[in-house]
């Protein structure tokens, strides 16, 4: 009996001690003494991406031309950020240009002021804030460019990425915007990072945003025709061809740095396209009749680029002009030349068209080739002259669209 009482006494002492400990712990917790710190917010980096409506405002051309809604659409967007590897903020530290972050978005609506894209970053990056390089690709897929890009794509792969030979060349021809959009790209290098954790951004503390400007990686060529009512001979447009070796088999997705100093970036070691026929055997009866054909020639003294594009579009809508085709093609470092072969009555004839100089058919440009048949049966080609857009003293008829 004595042992049993001793056991009960020990048990009661233990329970009192446990209750005392629990009471002490609760008291400290209520006073905030041992309460754990709340989780810190994860740091993010904000990147601003410029809308594709006016993607290259720095080019000295004769004025922008509006793209269509389909040409503007962004179905998918990838943004990669790497530490800049051209120099180090600290001379004692080797800047290896390591990966900072990536974000992928779908069905993106961008504003002309620049739309904000945020990605998670490490605490170490947020603290040190090295300069960065930003790569942005829109609508770049395996089905429209032959490229598969994702969060694991490294800098070397992006720098070497090319739109493959079977896409936006001549065979097969791309005559409408693909379902996943026209490929666009932009790159911004050696940019400072401002702000403090948890929210940082690419760009200076003041003085404006650092926008990554998207540029369509392809160009567009349009063939527009009309004929005089006095031309009663049978007419056939036998073919419209680009000459061999004027379009490269591959072009790089990204230009080198700032756009004002880079016109194109093609993979010249990949040879050039030899299959060049764009249009064949168009019955002349489908070409609209227009007895004032010269009214649709470009007049640089009175028209902006958009004025002329509007005039051509209205002429097509009013059935005074026929657009025999428009095509989305890769940019070129060559002088783009071609020929229209046609038959009037029984006589076959050829007329040439060409850009003014090499590398004028660069990405994100529209080129209109307008031809009309006069009463003599001859085809007159009134080309919108493409001039070097680097020459700011010369009005440029190379269009951004």
């Amino acid at each position: 009996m004595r042992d049993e009482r001793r056991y009960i006494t020990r048990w009661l002492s233990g329970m009192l001690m446990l209750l005392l400990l629990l009471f002490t712990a609760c008291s400290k917790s209520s006073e905030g003494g041992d309460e754990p710190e709340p989780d810190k917010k994860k740091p993010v980096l904000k990147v601003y991406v410029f809308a594709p409506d006016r993607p290259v405002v720095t080019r000295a051309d004769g004025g922008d031309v509006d793209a269509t809604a389909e040409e503007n659409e962004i179905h998918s967007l990838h943004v990669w950020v790497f530490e800049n590897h051209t120099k180090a903020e600290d001379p004692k530290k080797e800047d290896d240009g390591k990966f900072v972050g990536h974000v992928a978005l779908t069905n993106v609506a961008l504003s002309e002021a620049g739309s904000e894209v945020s990605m998670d970053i490490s605490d170490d990056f947020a603290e040190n804030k090295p300069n960065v390089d930003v790569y942005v690709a829109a609508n770049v897929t395996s089905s429209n460019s032959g490229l598969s890009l994702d969060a694991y794509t490294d800098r070397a792969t992006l720098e070497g990425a090319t739109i493959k030979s079977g896409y936006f060349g001549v065979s097969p021809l791309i005559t409408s915007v693909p379902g996943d959009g026209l490929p666009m790209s932009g790159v911004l290098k050696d940019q400072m990072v401002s702000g403090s954790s948890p929210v940082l951004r690419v760009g200076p503390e003041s003085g404006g945003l650092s926008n990554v400007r998207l540029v369509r990686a392809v160009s567009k060529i349009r063939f527009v025709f009309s004929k005089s009512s006095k031309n009663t001979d049978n007419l056939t447009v036998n073919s419209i061809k680009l000459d061999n070796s004027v379009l490269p088999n591959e072009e790089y997705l990204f230009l080198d740095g700032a756009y004002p100093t880079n016109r194109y970036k093609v993979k010249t070691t990949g040879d050039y396209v030899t299959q060049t026929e764009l249009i064949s055997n168009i019955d002349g009866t489908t070409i609209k009749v227009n007895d004032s054909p010269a009214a649709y020639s470009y007049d640089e003294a009175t028209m902006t680029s958009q004025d002329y594009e509007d005039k051509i579009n209205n002429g097509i809508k009013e059935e005074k002009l026929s657009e025999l085709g428009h095509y989305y093609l890769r940019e070129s470092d060559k002088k783009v030349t071609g020929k229209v072969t046609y038959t009037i009555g029984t006589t076959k004839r050829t007329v040439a068209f060409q850009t003014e100089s090499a590398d004028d058919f660069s990405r994100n440009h529209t080129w209109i080739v307008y031809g009309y048949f006069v009463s003599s049966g001859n085809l007159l080609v009134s080309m919108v002259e493409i001039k070097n857009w680097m020459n700011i003293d010369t009005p440029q008829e190379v269009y951004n669209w």
Side-chain angles (χ1 to χ4, degrees):
M1 187 70 177
R2 186 181 301 168
D3 290 341
E4 185 176 344
R5 283 199 298 269
R6 187 182 296 119
Y7 173 78
I8 292 173
T9 301
R10 287 178 179 175
W11 182 83
L12 288 172
S13 298
M15 290 299 295
L16 287 171
M17 183 63 72
L18 178 61
L19 288 172
L20 181 62
L21 289 171
L22 287 171
F23 177 76
T24 304
C26 290
S27 298
K28 287 184 177 180
S29 176
S30 64
E31 294 169 1
D34 291 338
E35 191 175 54
E37 292 184 13
D39 290 338
K40 293 195 319 182
K41 288 186 178 180
K42 292 183 178 179
V44 296
L45 178 66
K46 294 186 176 182
V47 180
Y48 293 86
V49 181
F50 193 78
D53 293 353
R54 304 290 186 194
V56 190
V57 297
T58 50
R59 285 185 175 176
D61 59 26
D64 292 335
V65 168
D66 292 334
T68 66
E70 284 184 321
E71 291 166 347
N72 279 340
E73 282 182 353
I74 296 181
H75 300 270
S76 62
L77 187 76
H78 285 273
V79 181
W80 298 265
V81 176
F82 300 88
E83 292 185 13
N84 176 257
H85 64 2
T86 58
K87 65 181 180 180
E89 294 298 319
D90 181 353
K92 296 179 181 179
K93 176 186 174 184
E94 287 295 327
D95 190 346
D96 60 2
K98 65 183 179 182
F99 175 76
V100 173
H102 165 270
V103 65
L105 302 170
T106 56
N107 296 320
V108 183
L110 300 180
S111 75
E112 290 195 11
S115 295
E116 187 178 283
V117 177
S118 296
M119 66 177 61
D120 293 335
I121 54 176
S122 68
D123 290 329
D124 181 67
F125 177 86
E127 181 180 353
N128 294 306
K129 295 192 292 188
N131 282 17
V132 295
D133 299 336
V134 183
Y135 296 79
V136 181
N139 303 336
V140 178
T141 67
S142 58
S143 62
N144 73 8
S145 302
L147 290 168
S148 296
L149 305 174
D150 56 29
Y152 302 100
T153 304
D154 59 25
R155 181 205 299 273
T157 302
L158 293 174
E159 286 284 346
T162 58
I163 297 177
K164 304 306 179 185
S165 59
Y167 304 86
F168 298 101
V170 175
S171 180
L173 284 170
I174 306 298
T175 58
S176 60
V177 177
D180 42 9
L182 292 176
M184 307 177 193
S185 66
V187 61
L188 201 60
K189 295 187 176 181
D190 198 15
Q191 298 297 301
M192 69 178 297
V193 174
S194 62
S196 58
S197 190
V199 180
L200 297 87
R201 70 172 189 173
V202 176
E205 295 286 356
S206 60
L209 304 174
S210 292
N211 282 318
V212 184
R213 291 172 177 166
L214 284 174
V215 181
R216 292 172 194 82
V218 295
S219 284
K220 180 169 65 173
I221 186 169
R222 304 178 67 184
F223 295 96
V224 182
F225 286 77
S226 66
K227 65 180 180 180
S228 166
S229 62
K230 297 177 182 179
N231 190 332
T232 58
D233 292 328
N234 290 330
L235 167 65
T236 301
V237 178
N238 303 107
S239 67
I240 299 179
K241 293 182 178 181
L242 298 181
D243 291 333
N244 289 340
S245 301
V246 296
L247 290 180
N249 271 323
E250 295 183 28
E251 70 161 290
Y252 285 94
L253 177 61
F254 292 99
L255 288 175
D256 290 323
Y259 305 128
T261 56
N262 294 277
R263 306 179 195 177
Y264 62 88
K265 190 179 180 185
V266 303
K267 191 172 182 180
T268 55
T269 56
D271 299 323
Y272 290 82
V273 175
T274 56
Q275 298 175 347
T276 57
E277 186 165 76
L278 304 177
I279 295 170
S280 62
N281 296 322
I282 300 293
D283 187 340
T285 59
T286 65
I287 297 176
K288 303 300 181 185
V289 172
N290 171 19
D291 284 330
S292 301
Y296 291 93
S297 296
Y298 180 66
D299 182 356
E300 64 180 341
T302 62
M303 296 180 186
T304 66
S305 300
Q306 186 64 59
D307 289 340
Y308 186 59
E309 192 90 3
D310 290 343
K311 193 174 188 69
I312 291 293
N313 290 338
N314 289 334
I316 294 170
K317 184 178 179 180
E318 294 166 3
E319 298 191 347
K320 295 180 180 179
L321 302 175
S322 298
E323 184 170 31
L324 300 191
H326 71 264
Y327 305 93
Y328 298 101
L329 300 171
R330 287 193 295 276
E331 66 181 349
S332 179
D333 60 334
K334 299 270 190 170
K335 184 172 185 175
V336 178
T337 61
K339 295 180 180 65
V340 180
T341 301
Y342 62 99
T343 300
I344 287 285
T346 58
T347 305
K348 183 173 284 190
R349 301 173 183 176
T350 298
V351 64
F353 59 91
Q354 63 185 17
T355 62
E356 183 174 271
S357 61
D359 66 48
D360 279 340
F361 195 63
S362 54
R363 65 185 65 191
N364 201 48
H365 287 163
T366 291
W367 181 21
I368 296 175
V369 178
Y370 169 51
Y372 53 92
F373 295 89
V374 293
S375 57
S376 64
N378 290 324
L379 171 64
L380 302 181
V381 176
S382 175
M383 293 174 294
V384 176
E385 224 176 316
I386 293 189
K387 298 178 181 178
N388 182 347
W389 54 262
M390 294 294 292
N391 185 348
I392 61 174
D393 296 322
T394 305
Q396 304 297 300
E397 291 88 47
V398 179
Y399 300 160
N400 295 329
W401 47 279

